[in-house]
Amino acid sequence: MPSLVTGFLVDKIGRAVMAIASAITLLVSGILAAIPTDDSMVVPITALVLLGLGWNFGLISGTAILVDATPRSTQAQGSVDVLIALSGVRRRLICNVVAHSSYAALSIAGAVLSLLFIPIVIWAGINKQSKV
């Protein structure tokens, strides 16, 4: 269900705007996840919901950008889908970050990395989207 809404937003307000929204959502998620809580589950649950939402924004807007940038005759979408699946190997490396430091360190690192999306989107000039 979120992908239907995200797809609509990507088409209506633009790929670049949604990619930046993804970065900001992931940043907020990482910051919230790093906040220590006592017994309340509100902050961790909110952080996880924002993580999923930010991921969805990024995946849908990124897929739209990829489809717009490649000719229809190429297999780019399938190749990217395979790379996304293979990126699960990186999860093991990320688990080592948590094992040797803390969940808060992982959350802050993820939040900071999400900020890299914004200059990349601006630098790439993705605002020039094709008309749907």
Side-chain angles (χ1 to χ4, degrees), residues 4-22:
L4 295 174
V5 175
T6 303
F8 175 78
L9 291 173
V10 165
D11 287 340
K12 291 298 177 192
I13 63 176
R15 281 103 167 105
V17 172
M18 289 304 293
I20 291 171
S22 170

Side-chain angles (χ1 to χ4, degrees), residues 41-55:
M41 292 302 293
V42 173
V43 174
I45 289 172
T46 303
L48 289 174
V49 168
L50 288 174
L51 176 65
L53 190 62
W55 175 85

Side-chain angles (χ1 to χ4, degrees), residues 10-91:
V10 165
D11 287 340
K12 291 298 177 192
I13 63 176
R15 281 103 167 105
V17 172
M18 289 304 293
I20 291 171
S22 170
I24 293 169
T25 305
L26 292 170
L27 171 69
V28 172
S29 171
I31 291 169
L32 283 177
I35 296 173
T37 59
D38 294 329
D39 291 333
S40 175
M41 292 302 293
V42 173
V43 174
I45 289 172
T46 303
L48 289 174
V49 168
L50 288 174
L51 176 65
L53 190 62
W55 175 85
N56 185 269
F57 288 172
L59 181 67
I60 303 300
S61 64
T63 300
I65 291 166
L66 176 72
V67 168
D68 291 346
T70 57
R72 290 187 182 261
S73 62
T74 63
Q75 300 284 327
Q77 178 64 45
S79 300
V80 169
D81 289 343
V82 169
L83 289 174
I84 288 171
L86 291 175
S87 70
V89 173
R90 291 184 299 189
R91 276 193 313 230

Side-chain angles (χ1 to χ4, degrees), residues 73-119:
S73 62
T74 63
Q75 300 284 327
Q77 178 64 45
S79 300
V80 169
D81 289 343
V82 169
L83 289 174
I84 288 171
L86 291 175
S87 70
V89 173
R90 291 184 299 189
R91 276 193 313 230
R92 185 65 186 142
L93 297 173
I94 292 170
C95 289
N96 286 332
V97 170
V98 175
H100 295 294
S101 60
S102 68
Y103 183 71
L106 174 68
S107 299
I108 294 298
V112 170
L113 285 174
S114 72
L115 288 177
L116 293 176
F117 288 133
I118 296 172

